[in-house]
Amino acid sequence: MFRQTKRRALERKNFGREINRNLTYNDRLNLYQIPPIDEITLDEFEGWAIDRLKILGEIDSSILRNRTVAEIEKIIKPLLEIYLPFNSNHYSGSSSSDRDIQLEHERKKDHYSHFILRLAFCRSQELRTKFIKNESMLFRIRYNMVDRVERMKFVDSLDLDWELVEMDEKEDLREKLVVCSGHEFSEENWSNIKNDSVYKVPFEKVPELVENRRVFIRYGKAYVPANLQVSLIMNEFSTRLERALEMTARAMPRLDEDERIIPILQHLATSSVLSADYGEAGDVNKFNSQKGDIAATEVKKLVRHFPLCMSNLQTHLSLDGHLKYFGRQQYGLFLKGIGLKVDEALKFWRLSFSKIPEDKFQKEYRYNIRHNYGLEGGRKQYRPYDCKSIINQNATPGPGDHHGCPYKHFPIDHLINNLQQMGINDKFDLNQIRDFVEKKSYHIACTKVFELTHKAQLQGKPLAETINHPNQYFGLTLEP
Amino acid sequence: MKYSTGPLPRQPTCSTQTRPLALDQVSPEEMLQFYQRLFPYRYFFQWLNHSPSPSPDFTHREIAFTLQSDIYSRYNSFKGYEDFKKEVLRLNPLRFEIGPQYTANPRDKKLLRKGAFRPLTKELVFDIDLTDYDEIRTCCSKTQICIKCWQFITVAIRTMTLGLKEDFGFKNIIWIFSGRRGAHAWVCDKRARELDDQKRRAIAHYFALSRNGTTVKKRMNLKRPLHPHISRSLEILKDDFQVNILEEQDPWETNDGENILLNLLPERNTELNKELRAFWLDNPGRTSYKKWKDIDDFAKKGVQKNLSTKELQYAKQDIILQYMYPRLDIEVSNKLNHLLKSPFVVHPKTGKVCVPIELDNYEDFDPEDVPTVDQLLNEIDSFNKELNESKDEMADIKISDYEKTSLKIYIDYFAKFVKSVMEEEAEIKKTFSAGKRSLDF
């Protein structure tokens, strides 16, 4: 960021108001060494960043769910096409001039969104680590997408102190290089190495390859064959990013800001899937039952489609004939979200509060229910709580409370009991969920439970998205 | 500590006619005498400072003392060697250890913000201790050692030094006898000193045969093909295995021992293993040397149909490595801020000085020959006595106390080593400032 201001100042001095627009994007892979300097609108600023966050958020939950790189690629590639297209120079979509404009735009968006998120995620070590992890994975996915020529061009452009091993030296070390690739020596294995590039780098650059004895090392240089160069580049990518983020963090307080950007950055960092792990409420209507309204009497039939946090509330409502305030709020707004209209809601709660006399109900509860539907007081339309608010709410459930997120608030044994009642009995599955809970990845645990209880519907495939809203969970169960 | 002559006869290089060592401890008075008259402060300073005049390399270095009262005093640092010597004489510690150079003076640790005080550099160190070989050693156990089991250390020095030099390109490596039953390696190259934790860990694991520590209780099943470092080590260790294990240690002679051996052979060759067991039962008392040979003989005889020769060969390679490959204490090497006992301190239990092991002659090193404090003090006395008796023109020449003793060869070697460390440092500084100058123009 220092560089940015300095550069801009320099340009102003030398060329008046003309800003250097010659920053063209010849390659689609970007190591983000040069900060962007063009002006963009606030809308672009926020929109581009959010689009990139959607990708990073998905990567983050995929990594948490121990998906392999191949699996993550499968999930991310279609998302990339929507949010961050990544087309090669040979891409033939439209006429050549249109194509150039389109490619320029794609790469500009990639470039800018990366730097905007750097600003949003540089402020704490935790955010930085997470950002680096997900950006590195994104980079890896893209690196795998480009062809060999592009890769070589990219590597050359990095200006690394890598040294290409000459054929003479390769010949001298042939047995050792083959053996280090994990194969017994044979002419065939040798020709594979002979025909590909091997780089000599200081061993400090590839600690994990040294640690696992995966490379040949001589006189302080590690000999890295083609198939391991990804790890080398990834390492380069993440160390450079780490350094840059630390510098950004130090420069942030001195940012000459006009109060438009800071709130956006704060919003990006705090409300993103990445930072808190839980998504925004988003569009409630998205989760509304497609089949229309629900009658008070139908609720009980639908309980088996509810996420555990809601079915648990229903269980206790039936058992006790009552729910405390926070439970009523959480469950009532959820039911509103799935299509229970206000009249039906009043009916539902009246029937459920079996132990409450009629006049007490009218006096104490009716107002509240109508209030949630925007018919009393401030007449505000309230949205169902998303996972983030349920998990992070200030009102930690005490004795007699049944609201909250079971994955977070239940004692682990109690949670396991509940899961077993839901039909999850496999030890391996239960242990996996337990791990997620221990890692505080509650939404991932919930997603896992969804997958396990909807095997037939999903045909054994993992869910493409992560659960971050109870109404989303409900909506997904009803999908064909 | 008696020992029979091994295959390579070793001659003691200095007289051992001192009075028997008090088994318990070195007295505080003797210790103080040693620190007053014999400890090489100046070379110690130059070694850590890398140049003649004090720099943060030394002044920000942590020295930790273990006092006579067993109190452990950390985060001490010193302005120079006089300062350091004064404090050592004041405290008369049992021993002291060397930590890393920090970003600031360790004495100011408490005054600094948490993040502002962190370790910067330290030599890359390795620690090998014979107690880790207890499951193999038949000659001694626990704190005892003899020249037979010292061979494990000798072999470790050979294997490790070769790897450090050829693979990692390090030059300034010094091995220090740890005072009782092991040795420490200090890699003093600038490049090694500047490694962070992750890279130290990488190197430590590179040299560790297995992640979970080496034992002979389980088959190793090392990954094939062997990494060049491992196969090179195997080549080195093969001959030592013949002598040290098969002949000297003879670990499989007993019934328990032969079970360990059989357990390490491939499970699949059930018939071979059965035949061997039966044969050894009928012919008790066969030495390890013979039993090792029996394996091949029986395999050739064809007692095992569908014998996997390759698997057997791999298992035998693994066994050689399991018995002979250096057993490192990885934790010591892993961390930048790990403390390690300084060279030339006195081991309080044995009275022996932690002397360097000369790399050109490390094979002849015998811990038995290492001088003890009271031996050294006697040597000074008898030297002075002779000098007084001969009262001639020689008397005026000043001779340092250490030069009167058998410690001289060790200090001379250390001085030579320190000189080469300082020379490397000066060379780096020169190229650095030359590069800087050319940038200026």
Side-chain angles (χ1 to χ4, degrees), chain B residues 256-314:
Chain B
D256 287 348
E258 92 188 20
N259 281 335
I260 290 177
L261 174 60
L262 284 169
N263 183 38
L264 292 173
L265 293 177
E267 228 158 35
R268 241 185 39 182
N269 299 331
T270 38
E271 282 150 61
L272 175 68
N273 293 357
K274 225 160 74 190
E275 288 289 326
L276 283 172
R277 191 183 291 276
F279 179 70
W280 292 340
L281 194 69
D282 291 343
N283 302 276
R286 282 179 83 75
T287 61
S288 299
Y289 186 84
K290 284 183 178 151
K291 281 178 177 161
W292 185 247
K293 207 161 158 286
D294 288 340
I295 300 172
D296 282 342
D297 291 349
F298 274 67
K300 265 187 224 133
K301 254 197 271 170
V303 290
Q304 171 86 40
K305 289 169 226 108
N306 65 44
L307 172 89
S308 167
T309 348
K310 201 152 223 174
E311 222 176 299
L312 187 62
Q313 186 204 346
Y314 286 169

Side-chain angles (χ1 to χ4, degrees), chain B residues 175-436:
Chain B
W175 286 86
I176 308 283
F177 173 55
S178 70
R180 183 143 73 182
R181 59 201 159 166
H184 302 151
W186 296 77
V187 185
C188 305
D189 299 57
K190 196 175 174 63
R191 190 174 174 186
R193 298 200 311 264
E194 287 174 347
L195 295 167
D196 63 19
D197 278 353
Q198 191 199 13
K199 289 165 195 137
R200 277 168 206 263
R201 205 184 112 88
I203 296 180
H205 280 278
Y206 179 84
F207 281 115
L209 192 56
S210 129
R211 229 145 238 275
N212 320 316
T214 311
T215 159
V216 296
K217 302 233 163 61
K218 257 199 348 240
R219 261 195 306 276
M220 289 279 285
N221 293 325
L222 284 170
K223 211 182 93 208
R224 293 300 190 293
L226 292 174
H227 184 273
H229 162 65
I230 302 293
S231 49
R232 176 189 58 201
S233 303
L234 181 65
E235 280 311 307
I236 296 174
L237 299 171
K238 259 184 190 159
D239 294 340
D240 296 296
F241 178 77
Q242 285 286 333
V243 177
N244 297 326
I245 296 298
L246 298 184
E247 289 170 17
E248 291 188 352
Q249 297 293 344
D250 194 6
W252 305 317
E253 198 246 287
T254 61
N255 206 306
D256 287 348
E258 92 188 20
N259 281 335
I260 290 177
L261 174 60
L262 284 169
N263 183 38
L264 292 173
L265 293 177
E267 228 158 35
R268 241 185 39 182
N269 299 331
T270 38
E271 282 150 61
L272 175 68
N273 293 357
K274 225 160 74 190
E275 288 289 326
L276 283 172
R277 191 183 291 276
F279 179 70
W280 292 340
L281 194 69
D282 291 343
N283 302 276
R286 282 179 83 75
T287 61
S288 299
Y289 186 84
K290 284 183 178 151
K291 281 178 177 161
W292 185 247
K293 207 161 158 286
D294 288 340
I295 300 172
D296 282 342
D297 291 349
F298 274 67
K300 265 187 224 133
K301 254 197 271 170
V303 290
Q304 171 86 40
K305 289 169 226 108
N306 65 44
L307 172 89
S308 167
T309 348
K310 201 152 223 174
E311 222 176 299
L312 187 62
Q313 186 204 346
Y314 286 169
K316 288 184 72 177
Q317 289 176 345
D318 284 4
I319 291 171
I320 295 176
L321 289 166
Q322 269 166 291
Y323 276 83
M324 291 305 289
Y325 190 88
R327 298 185 169 195
L328 302 171
D329 183 350
I330 288 204
E331 289 312 309
V332 176
S333 313
N334 263 348
K335 283 262 171 8
L336 186 51
N337 62 1
H338 200 287
L339 295 141
L340 193 64
K341 189 160 63 176
S342 162
F344 289 106
V345 302
V346 176
H347 192 288
K349 289 271 158 47
T350 62
K352 287 185 197 293
V353 182
C354 299
V355 294
I357 300 168
E358 206 177 328
L359 258 183
D360 292 333
N361 288 316
Y362 69 95
E363 286 175 331
D364 299 328
F365 185 90
D366 182 346
E368 191 81 343
D369 300 342
V370 174
T372 60
V373 181
D374 66 351
Q375 177 195 331
L376 291 171
L377 296 176
N378 284 343
E379 283 170 10
I380 299 177
D381 288 348
S382 52
F383 188 96
N384 287 346
K385 213 165 129 199
E386 258 175 59
L387 203 65
N388 284 337
E389 279 164 8
S390 63
K391 272 236 177 212
D392 51 18
E393 69 277 11
M394 288 285 286
D396 292 338
I397 300 168
K398 185 103 170 101
I399 303 173
S400 318
D401 277 339
Y402 83 85
E403 289 176 293
K404 301 168 185 166
T405 68
S406 49
L407 197 61
K408 181 177 187 303
I409 48 165
Y410 300 106
I411 292 187
D412 286 349
Y413 173 72
F414 188 63
K416 217 171 85 194
F417 176 76
V418 170
K419 197 168 154 238
S420 89
V421 171
M422 292 211 296
E423 277 166 4
E424 192 220 354
E425 202 74 12
E427 196 59 38
I428 292 172
K429 273 193 189 132
K430 218 164 91 191
T431 45
F432 181 72
S433 60
K436 223 174 155 188

